[in-house]
Amino acid sequence: MICFRDMTFCNSDCTRAACRRHFGADDQAAAEKWWGKPGAPVAFSDFSEDCPDYTRPKDASASG
């Protein structure tokens, strides 16, 4: 299967935007430009369980 940048991006709830597997708005725009229209094939997987750089979101309901 062909996919954007020939890689898998992380779709976990990680907040680390500097990660090479982070897929943000700029990546979405680049994928659409590469594909030539919306709906570019992009591979996603949740890497949070094995990623040493996984950064958990702050729990908004936690006090302190």
Side-chain angles (χ1 to χ4, degrees), residues 7-11 16-24 27 43-45 47 51:
M7 68 177 286
T8 303
F9 292 88
C10 188
N11 67 343
R16 190 169 175 260
C19 179
R20 71 180 191 91
R21 292 195 184 271
H22 177 267
F23 190 82
D27 298 299
F44 290 100
S45 185
F47 292 102
C51 181

Side-chain angles (χ1 to χ4, degrees), residues 4-64:
F4 179 61
R5 293 191 182 150
D6 196 27
M7 68 177 286
T8 303
F9 292 88
C10 188
N11 67 343
S12 74
D13 60 353
C14 181
T15 60
R16 190 169 175 260
C19 179
R20 71 180 191 91
R21 292 195 184 271
H22 177 267
F23 190 82
D26 55 339
D27 298 299
Q28 181 67 48
E32 290 179 6
K33 182 177 180 182
W34 165 77
W35 192 242
K37 60 185 178 182
V42 181
F44 290 100
S45 185
D46 185 340
F47 292 102
S48 62
E49 192 170 310
D50 297 319
C51 181
D53 298 321
Y54 172 70
T55 306
R56 181 179 316 272
K58 291 183 180 178
D59 184 1
S61 65
S63 61

